[in-house]
Amino acid sequence: MTTLPHVYNGQALPLAKVPELTMSEFRTVVLERIADGRRISSFFGMPHGDGIALLAVLANDRQGVLELCRTQVRDAYPALTPEAPQAHWFEREIAEQWGIVPEGHPWLKPIRFHPCYRKGSDAWGRDKARAIEPCVTDYFRVDGEEIHEVAVGPVHAGIIEPGHFRFQCHGENVLHLEIELGYQHRGIERAIIAGPGQRTAHYVETLAGDTTIGHATAFALAIEALGGTTAPPRAQALRAVALEIERLANHTGDLGALANDVGFLPTASFCGRLRGDFLNATALLCGNRFGRHLVRPGGVRFDLTTRIADELLKRIETTFADTENAVNLLWQTPSVMARFEGTGTVSCHDAAAMGLVGPAARASGVSLDVRNDLPWGAYRAHHVPTVSLPAGDVCARAYVRWFEVRNSVRFIAEEIAALPAGAIQQEPARPAPDHLAVALVEGWRGEICHVAITDDRGRLRHYKVTDPSFHNWFGLAMALRGQQISDFPLCNKSFNLSYCGHDL
Amino acid sequence: MFNALRARIRQGHRTVGFPNRPPVLPERYMGRPQWDATLCRADCDACVQACPTAALTRADGVLRIDLGRCLFCTDCTDACPTGAIGFTREYRMATDTREALVVNDRPYQLAKALDKQAKALFGHSLKLRQVSAGGCNACEADVNVLTTVVFDLSRFGIQFVASPRHADGLLITGPVTKNMELALEKTYEATPSPKIVVAVGACAVSGGLFADHPETHKGAGEIIPVDLYIPGCPPHPIAILDGLLRLLGVIEQQ
Ligand code: SF4
Ligand code: SF4
């Protein structure tokens, strides 16, 4: 196999070191690697020369490195998707952002519904004078006398972000679900260009507000890598503690929401409260329940005093004990298990082929966890076991979360007990010019990938964010195949993906 | 069954005493900012430069903090060489006009209760339809949390409903992306009049970080009339609850 330059998670290299391959070399190199078990962590276009550079970041989980390569295109190239299904959403994004057509893509549609970033280009040749209407596009249709279509959203029943779902049904049975997003598109990636400036860290924290710590950590790692700065050990430990509390809050909330969707109100009600208690634990660190303004390039902004550390440990311990009590009710209640088991199954093969990440992948037997496979910061020395279950159903996705809650609680206690002394901040050096850095963080939904590329003056010329939801939305669509439409809320909650994290 | 009952007893009663008792807020909570004119240096604009959302302006020696834009990020306090800006623990910040969301040298005007007629209609039962229009899911989450046993919103007669046709008003989060504009308008139209609109969070109030983005609007007020503004990024659930209860006249003191 051709060798490619590789970096560790949170490492930078000169852009010139990323080999520029011909299109046919690029396809061969990427496809043979995917066939060999590497994954696409990121794949995107960036203006370069008189065309667009396509850059691939491939995760080699076995060896714990990221492999990089690029190629140059003008208007079109032969799509990777027919041979590597996990490329499909990335290629739709490339088409939408840069007007590059991945030829042979089986279902080339916009994903966010915004005008093309490259003047005068449009992958679909749309009329420039007409506004682009969100989610107004072709949908996959099943025909037949007894087939009906159900359309839901953008405004849904609950307090939830907007998206559009189209079901092709035969009676109660879902033959196909198609998910279209884009309603939450705020243009954050583009706004970050020419930074980092005083807004950048704030933008990053709002990419997906429920993953503030995850995204802020990825951003901090990328900027630190570009400048060759390392955050002090104490800051790294505090970031990891905050990230695990974020996981606790969201996993606990999800377990409650799953209970709610099968009408099991005790656990739903208890977990609703407990999730808030975990959010309050984050607020204990920094005053904000979502961890806003805590993580910054160079370190963290708030220290943990001994008194606050003791209080934090005490709270995590009591909240965990109540969570255990609330969640165990799920496994003890046959009517709950009957609804969880065998619902929304995604096979290991499909999960790997689609490139799923996070708990959704692990619940289908795909044993991936950035904390172990490509560790950064505190996780380099302190491991959290990867939880993986083979069943691939709602039950497995619930169970994985529960096991992860237990592991996070243990991790937090151990980190705080062994908290390194010293500073919590180190002034980050200016980003080096013409460099590229990749940062991966295992957020509660899975792999968060930030790629930062600087121009000749060290400013960000490109910033690419891949939220775990970007990989996983299609997994939800697949999970619905052959299910009852009434199981949609349950399946949806078992993935609980981010709309704004996808729409950016 | 017995396990569920045992768990119920163990988990206990969890509803907060607010509004009858003062709320418990995090020790490091950032509430309403204040500005000390005596400490502020005339030749300095470090805070104005540091602010990510242009929430700070200075005219005639008076610093003006627009809470509608403020993220409560404390970048300004970090930048200030004299400690002239500070964040209090004051969670009461909801107003009934956009202009009132200002900290300067004048007293802060909190939201007043609805007029008599509206109070007669909504005072005992207010059904809201939540619309997320570019919110980052932090505002949404801390609105949602009001429906848990901790805040038990329904004890005040407030409920979130699935359909705008069943609603007395809307609660908006997010700057209103261009892609959500039509959906928001339709949802507003589908809500029977008279109706109430609540904007929660810097995004919905002013566009927040995204105010000058071509992809978004400058908050809900650009599309539909707003009756209650609740600042924050995201506001603490208690700040949201306080705002809603002021609107209904359950909390009246300034
Ligand atoms: S706290 Fe508010 S006023 Fe101060 S810098 Fe942040 S956004 Fe601006
Ligand atoms: S105001 Fe802040 S927390 Fe609320 S939606 Fe906007 S960015 Fe998110």
Side-chain angles (χ1 to χ4, degrees), chain A residues 34 87 181 211 216 227 229 254 267 274 288-289 291 300-301 316 371 454 457:
Chain A
I34 291 174
L181 303 168
T211 314
T229 311
D254 284 351
T267 301
L274 293 160
N288 183 292
R289 286 159 50 93
V300 292
R301 286 180 73 228
I316 299 269
R371 290 174 293 175
T454 51
R457 290 163 60 191

Side-chain angles (χ1 to χ4, degrees), chain A residues 8 24 33 44 67 107 114 125 145 158 185 214 243 254 259 277 290 305 315 468 476 483:
Chain A
Y8 295 102
S24 83
R33 278 176 162 67
F44 57 92
E67 297 167 333
W107 201 228
H114 60 71
E145 246 176 66
H185 181 55
L243 186 72
D254 284 351
D277 286 354
F290 296 86
T305 61
R315 285 209 208 167
L476 169 61
Q483 301 296 302

Side-chain angles (χ1 to χ4, degrees), chain A residues 172-186:
Chain A
E172 272 285 289
N173 243 357
V174 178
L175 297 173
H176 186 74
L177 160 63
E178 191 164 357
I179 302 170
E180 280 293 337
L181 303 168
Y183 293 102
Q184 299 286 70
H185 181 55
R186 296 159 291 168

Side-chain angles (χ1 to χ4, degrees), chain A residues 112 156 158 182-184 186 190 198-199 202-203 209-210 273 285 289 292 301 303 307 322 325 332, chain B residues 3 10-11 27-28 49 52 73-75 78 129 134-137 142 177 179 209 212-213 215 233:
Chain A
R112 300 193 182 101
H156 305 285
Y183 293 102
Q184 299 286 70
R186 296 159 291 168
R190 278 212 298 176
Q198 75 260 67
R199 275 196 196 179
H202 302 284
Y203 275 133
D210 50 29
R273 185 267 293 186
L285 290 176
R289 286 159 50 93
R292 291 285 162 83
R301 286 180 73 228
D303 204 353
R307 191 178 53 75
D322 284 353
N325 171 263
Q332 294 160 358
Chain B
N3 285 337
R10 182 203 158 104
Q11 302 271 343
E27 198 175 310
R28 289 172 169 174
Q49 294 301 326
C73 69
T74 65
D75 284 357
D78 280 4
R129 166 69 254 190
C136 75
N137 205 29
D142 267 354
T177 54
N179 282 354
L209 273 173
D212 54 6
H213 283 207
E215 294 87 353
C233 181

